[in-house]
Amino acid sequence: MNATNTIAAAKKGRWAVAAAFFANGFITGSWAPQIPVFLTRLEISEFTLGLLILVFGVGAIAFMSWCGHLIARHGSRSVMRWFGAAATFGLLIVALAPNVPLAALSMFLFGGVIGGLDVAMNSNAVAVEKKLSRAIMSSSHGFWSLGGFVGGGIGGIAIQTYGYLAHAAGVTVVALVLLGFALRYLVVEDRHVAAEHRKFTLPRNPVIYLVGVMALFSMVPEGAVLDWAALYLKQELGADIATAGFAFGCFAGTMALVRFMGDAVRNRYGAVTTLRVSSLIAAAGMLVAGFAPTPWIAIAAFAFCGLGIANMVPIAFSAAGNQPGISAGAGMSVVTTMGYSGILVAPSAIGFIGGHTGFAPVFVAVSALLVVVFLLAGLARSADFVPAAQPAE
């Protein structure tokens, strides 16, 4: 009976963590259509906006590191509750910021609570996997993309119809409802004896850093579309706010669709083939977006790019965790740090460049990064790691 109750609680926890992923994606996706309003409301340049987005990334990375220590001490459920409650107000405080200094502070906090929630919910998803003895990570990230699709897709329409403040308030209410459900049913990790503290050293095998480059170049496009696609459509292709919001929304929607099928596709065709095909699809989509003559062609191209991007990062992370001769923890530490800088820090550099050249050449250049992933895809072979038979005891 106890085992039955444990499985039932884990199944509820599985849907609770899925709701948290959706809420995180919804809040993040809702930020994308706010960006053009943010730029004009504060009367800032693309360069300044790039600095503010960099502050968002710095906040996320700072809180991610802190969150790891909190989870080790208090468990992912408790930490997820703290950051989840705070994250619901993240977009609203940015929308309320009246000037650049307060906008910088609000962006730091917004990035921090979103980043902290991201780490906590991924950790809780791992705990659910252990209790259910099956993988849920790919579909969990699918829920994040689905949330981004909904947030980005309806955000522009809501802003144009009701205004940016009403939109931010509405996002807060929806996120509170979703997380109010999710935080009640989260699973609790099994308690483990604290590991012995060891001196941290970076891996010496250069392959792990090349896998990190693959993760980085796979996440740069996601950050580029999230932070700059709406502005690109509005300023360079003449789209209105409602239409511009569909750029990230459709990108996230196709990512969600493929991520829900990601494990089956990879199991059938293998990590290397899946990564090669995915990177070429993503590169083609980004290239067409850069040369698009109309907003809707660009939106379709971003959506096509999302089909390819969806499985690239999970494969890179799996390759890192199964890299021969390197512990899973050390490999994941290097590759996740390099990878997340692509979505948290690289967009600020994109803003600096885009402010001088326009964003069309930037998206073309990003497509070249995806070709590099295609060329490096053979390094992902370790993602198809098959556990060796355990010796008899």
Side-chain angles (χ1 to χ4, degrees), residues 198-216:
R198 298 175 183 175
K199 183 179 179 181
F200 176 76
T201 58
L202 290 172
R204 296 181 180 179
N205 188 343
V207 172
I208 196 66
Y209 299 98
L210 292 175
V211 174
V213 169
M214 289 198 300
L216 170 63

Side-chain angles (χ1 to χ4, degrees), residues 162-388:
Y162 302 107
Y164 73 94
L165 270 179
H167 166 252
V171 169
T172 300
V173 172
V174 172
L176 279 171
V177 171
L178 286 170
L179 288 170
F181 156 77
L183 301 181
R184 294 174 56 194
Y185 298 104
L186 297 173
V187 302
V188 181
E189 298 98 328
D190 297 327
R191 289 288 182 182
H192 297 288
V193 178
E196 180 184 354
H197 290 289
R198 298 175 183 175
K199 183 179 179 181
F200 176 76
T201 58
L202 290 172
R204 296 181 180 179
N205 188 343
V207 172
I208 196 66
Y209 299 98
L210 292 175
V211 174
V213 169
M214 289 198 300
L216 170 63
F217 287 180
S218 297
M219 295 187 83
V220 166
E222 190 170 349
V225 177
L226 171 63
D227 289 319
W228 299 110
L231 199 63
Y232 167 57
L233 263 64
K234 183 175 182 292
Q235 292 190 349
E236 298 180 32
L237 298 181
D240 58 25
I241 289 292
T243 302
F246 283 107
F248 179 74
C250 291
F251 175 83
T254 55
M255 281 182 63
L257 179 66
V258 175
R259 278 178 169 170
F260 285 123
M261 303 184 297
D263 292 331
V265 170
R266 186 169 130 197
N267 288 337
R268 179 168 181 177
Y269 298 106
V272 173
T273 299
T274 303
L275 184 57
R276 283 176 176 158
V277 174
S278 296
S279 58
L280 288 180
I281 290 173
M286 196 63 71
L287 184 66
V288 172
F291 285 109
T294 68
W296 285 106
I297 290 177
I299 289 169
F302 286 131
F304 188 74
C305 180
L307 293 173
I309 291 294
N311 280 329
M312 294 173 63
V313 172
I315 290 173
F317 284 2
S318 292
N322 292 310
Q323 195 65 222
I326 300 174
S327 70
M332 287 296 293
S333 176
V334 169
V335 173
T336 53
T337 300
M338 293 179 68
Y340 272 106
S341 67
I343 194 172
L344 297 175
V345 179
S348 62
I350 290 173
F352 302 151
I353 297 169
H356 290 89
T357 67
F359 289 101
V362 171
F363 289 124
V364 173
V366 169
S367 72
L369 301 183
L370 294 163
V371 173
V372 174
V373 177
F374 169 80
L375 297 174
L376 295 174
L379 299 176
R381 202 171 307 279
S382 60
D384 290 328
F385 173 82
V386 178

Side-chain angles (χ1 to χ4, degrees), residues 145-168:
S145 297
L146 185 61
F149 167 71
V150 174
I154 67 175
I157 298 172
I159 292 170
Q160 187 163 288
T161 305
Y162 302 107
Y164 73 94
L165 270 179
H167 166 252

